[in-house]
Amino acid sequence: MNCFPESLEKLIAELSKLPGVGPKTAQRLAFHILEQKNNGAERLASALVTAAEKLDECPVCFHIAEEGHCALCDDDSRDNSVICVVESPRDVLPIERSGSFHGRYHILGGLLSPMDGIGPTELHIRELLKRLENEEVKEVILATGSNVEGEATAAYLADLLKPLGLVVTRIAQGMPVGGDLEYIDEITLAKALAGRREF
Amino acid sequence: MNCFPESLEKLIAELSKLPGVGPKTAQRLAFHILEQKNNGAERLASALVTAAEKLDECPVCFHIAEEGHCALCDDDSRDNSVICVVESPRDVLPIERSGSFHGRYHILGGLLSPMDGIGPTELHIRELLKRLENEEVKEVILATGSNVEGEATAAYLADLLKPLGLVVTRIAQGMPVGGDLEYIDEITLAKALAGRREF
């Protein structure tokens, strides 16, 4: 069924590699991009190349950075005494959006997953320990996800960090805001009950 | 909330312009592309640039072509006596996939839509008439969609082409295969009844 020219088929094949994009969506995206006015394809292409060339890891917290330290490590107004530990750079934005955290971050670069061969040495844990030695940190917030790997990683880090005399906290589990009791799963509800606080 | 470097924000902004891609999906796509091994970003970028540079319209049927005629116009094994008229290049693939058509195509490049200022001169109708003069065509199949503009365009073309002594046909409307009577809308059912054929 070769009714498109090669360069179009190749573009569709590349777009099909994106997450959640099947061959039909890839075709729709390709047509949309090529039909855009003002060199839409070239603009997207140059944004891709520039990002791939410029982006690197922050040497301190492993967040995405362009050159040297990331914007968050460079920001002098942030609180140096708290470090929030997350799995990946994409976890930083939702926490920033919540407006409830003004400390520093540390990106692990993954979660412990023995099945996939990811042990403590594959994550930026050594670098976290070095930061805790050199910086005056009072609290480490473990903000990995609430899945099996997230919990295991948080538990591993808690065991590792508590002997250092730090306050080690874990983000709360419970009802999502706006959630109906009727529709919530029983494990979440059990966590919400266990984590209940006095009114 | 500027916690990403500029080049990443720019890539996310470009990806957000894609159809069905909001800011969150754009962020997910950007991270996925940048995390890909083997220069994924560069490969996608070069596919975009190559496609944008090479792709053009077939001078005969206005399908997408790389240089000169499209693969379908170049294919000598196809039936020259039938032309299937469709709205856009993306309509060719589903018809080819059906395996029920082996003639030529003609892409209108849109549908009549007076509200959007698209009249007959904005579509490749003049070129269709010229083809019908020069080629030995016996049947024109009007395969525009079953929406208001598709129906209006088909009706306009039927009025235009019938006086030329051609067989002018319209693709059938009715129950989609696998459809349940219970769930089908009443207009489709009315069309299915009106278009009933003897068993």
Side-chain angles (χ1 to χ4, degrees), chain B residues 79-110:
Chain B
D79 183 359
N80 287 317
S81 69
V82 199
I83 289 184
C84 181
V85 177
V86 294
E87 176 188 350
S88 88
R90 37 190 121 183
D91 301 327
V92 171
L93 191 58
I95 297 180
E96 285 298 294
R97 279 213 187 107
S98 78
S100 303
F101 180 70
H102 304 287
R104 304 293 179 182
Y105 287 92
H106 190 82
I107 318 287
L108 291 173

Side-chain angles (χ1 to χ4, degrees), chain B residues 57-130:
Chain B
E57 279 175 346
C58 171
V60 177
C61 74
F62 297 95
H63 189 42
I64 291 182
E66 254 177 25
E67 270 175 8
H69 293 185
C70 72
L72 295 160
C73 284
D74 264 346
D75 183 352
D76 290 333
S77 72
R78 298 187 77 98
D79 183 359
N80 287 317
S81 69
V82 199
I83 289 184
C84 181
V85 177
V86 294
E87 176 188 350
S88 88
R90 37 190 121 183
D91 301 327
V92 171
L93 191 58
I95 297 180
E96 285 298 294
R97 279 213 187 107
S98 78
S100 303
F101 180 70
H102 304 287
R104 304 293 179 182
Y105 287 92
H106 190 82
I107 318 287
L108 291 173
L111 294 173
L112 293 178
S113 177
M115 296 279 281
D116 304 314
I118 303 177
T121 49
E122 270 73 42
L123 308 180
H124 301 306
I125 293 178
R126 208 176 15 199
E127 293 88 345
L128 174 62
L129 293 173
K130 208 166 271 173

Side-chain angles (χ1 to χ4, degrees), chain B residues 170-191:
Chain B
R170 176 88 176 106
I171 51 169
Q173 289 185 318
M175 295 280 295
V177 174
D180 265 340
L181 236 75
E182 196 180 344
Y183 300 117
I184 217 76
D185 67 287
E186 55 273 23
I187 303 175
T188 301
L189 203 49
K191 296 274 186 188

Side-chain angles (χ1 to χ4, degrees), chain A residues 3 7 35 63 66 90, chain B residues 3 7 35 63-64 66 90:
Chain A
C3 58
S7 60
E35 282 165 3
H63 190 41
E66 255 177 27
R90 38 190 121 182
Chain B
C3 59
S7 59
E35 282 165 3
H63 189 42
I64 291 182
E66 254 177 25
R90 37 190 121 183

